[in-house]
Amino acid sequence: MTIQRKEVETIDDLPALVGQPLGTSGWITIGQSMIDDFARISGDHNWIHVDVERARRELPEGRTIVHGMLTLSLVAQLGSEVFGVRQRDRGINYGSNKVRFITPVLCGARIRLHRTLAAVDPMDGGRAARVTFDNTVEIDGEARPAMVAETITVIYGKRAA
């Protein structure tokens, strides 16, 4: 599947897209090495994430479970596949209003992002926009999503040279 990245020219073009689906990312497979790297970086070494043998014995599916925060962190990467503003200076993660981890993502699962533009609020005299996205992370083959999250990014327009 070829991903059609939706792009707008400037932040002034964003309000026209409020309420519209922006698109769907490609699939990404989350393997144990990615989980282990995240555990090392985050300090979250809960056995359900990193102990493959114990998970095989004690977890219902017999596989480790991806950190919820790893799933959330992948929204930035997957979101950049879906949408962009061509003439921008920078984008900054402003936070999240709501994050829910609905279904555990198991090691080896494939996930992808569905993204909608929920709101645009001008900032800094119109030189920036606070952009709210509704994000749903789908698990390949699962009826229920892995995660739903309302995330916020501040996008600064390109400065005149």
Side-chain angles (χ1 to χ4, degrees), residues 14-37:
L14 292 170
L17 298 177
V18 171
Q20 293 186 28
L22 298 174
T24 301
S25 73
W27 292 102
I28 184 171
T29 302
I30 304 179
Q32 191 62 48
S33 63
M34 186 185 291
I35 295 168
D36 292 342
D37 287 345

Side-chain angles (χ1 to χ4, degrees), residues 19 109-110 125 127 150:
R110 293 188 333 149
R127 291 185 295 269
E150 186 179 89

